[in-house]
Amino acid sequence: MNIEEFRNYCLAKKGVTESLPFGPDTLVFKVMNKMFAVCGLERTPTQVNLKCDPDRSEELRVEYEGLIIAGWHMNKHHWNTVFIEDALPPKLVTELIDHSYDIIVASLTKKLKAEYAAL
């Protein structure tokens, strides 16, 4: 998956916005104003940070050693850095994006969940 495919996939999800809050080189995707994906635009190979269940994070880091690592500049317990243009199957990358998005949606307040449902 390349950066444009990643971006398009994220933006197609319900309630998602993109912004550059950390400067022009870091693209952030949020659902209901809560971050679920971060992408360094100048990093080669392309890598993204995605939220992940801590137990699953550990399993993924072992299974895909070097391609999925502890989150760069993030809480390493809850975030992974995923090298999306390397040997990872695109289906796995989309599953990880979905997982990150779902974690954030599940954590929304009742008020935000109601606003999300109304979209």
Side-chain angles (χ1 to χ4, degrees):
M1 178 178 279
N2 64 42
I3 188 65
E4 282 302 316
E5 292 167 329
F6 172 81
R7 179 179 177 267
N8 291 336
Y9 188 81
C10 288
L11 288 175
K13 301 185 91 42
K14 183 177 176 179
V16 171
T17 58
E18 67 179 334
S19 62
L20 298 163
F22 305 118
D25 298 333
T26 306
L27 185 58
V28 174
F29 295 91
K30 296 179 180 181
V31 56
M32 303 306 292
N33 211 32
K34 292 191 73 169
M35 189 167 55
F36 75 95
V38 180
C39 179
L41 297 174
E42 298 298 320
R43 300 192 64 83
T44 304
T46 303
Q47 50 195 276
V48 299
N49 285 350
L50 298 169
K51 193 140 187 161
C52 191
D53 171 79
D55 292 331
R56 186 166 184 212
S57 286
E58 293 300 323
E59 293 169 8
L60 289 165
R61 292 172 195 167
V62 169
E63 186 174 351
Y64 298 98
E65 186 176 357
L67 297 174
I68 299 177
I69 61 174
W72 178 256
H73 287 294
M74 306 295 274
N75 179 328
K76 292 168 181 19
H77 192 66
H78 295 280
W79 290 84
N80 284 329
T81 296
V82 181
F83 292 82
I84 63 172
E85 286 189 290
D86 287 343
L88 291 178
K91 184 176 186 220
L92 175 62
V93 175
T94 58
E95 287 172 6
L96 294 175
I97 295 167
D98 292 345
H99 179 63
S100 182
Y101 176 89
D102 292 343
I103 288 171
I104 297 304
V105 170
S107 74
L108 295 174
T109 63
K110 282 185 181 181
K111 179 183 175 188
L112 288 176
K113 283 182 182 176
E115 290 175 22
Y116 174 81
L119 294 177

